[in-house]
Amino acid sequence: MIDPLSLVIGGALVGGGWLAGRFGSRRGKSGTAAGPAVCGCGHDLALHDREAGHCHAETFRKTGVGIKAWARCNCQRYTGPTPLEEFFAPTPLPPAP
């Protein structure tokens, strides 16, 4: 036999749990574990030429009336964050002959 008091208490627990889940604080992502550093074009530093700066990646684009083909990325310079090894120390040069 289910008494009315048990139904009210059970409903209050369900409603309270729903409210706590809906409006309670949510945990964010854990701090510094971010994805790879990417340029404005969406590609990372490995796909950009260090001297010339242009991007070597290819993207799938429309090239006409419903036709899609691979085209070279239009990025002319890496605009993403500076890698730490270049920020703190210069790039090592090959030995002089």
Side-chain angles (χ1 to χ4, degrees):
M1 185 93 171
I2 299 175
D3 58 334
L5 183 61
S6 297
L7 289 175
V8 170
I9 291 173
L13 287 173
V14 169
W18 180 81
L19 287 173
R22 178 80 172 153
F23 299 111
S25 63
R26 295 183 181 176
R27 295 181 191 165
K29 292 184 179 179
S30 60
T32 61
V38 294
C39 179
C41 66
H43 302 117
D44 63 356
L45 182 61
L47 294 172
H48 288 80
D49 188 5
R50 297 246 178 178
E51 285 80 31
H54 61 273
C55 186
H56 294 290
E58 292 183 342
T59 56
F60 202 60
R61 296 186 183 145
K62 274 189 179 178
T63 59
V65 185
I67 300 171
K68 292 184 179 181
W70 290 102
R72 187 173 175 186
C73 182
N74 291 331
C75 181
Q76 297 297 317
R77 186 175 62 92
Y78 177 74
T79 58
T82 305
L84 288 176
E85 62 268 5
E86 288 183 7
F87 185 71
F88 288 115
T91 306
L93 299 174

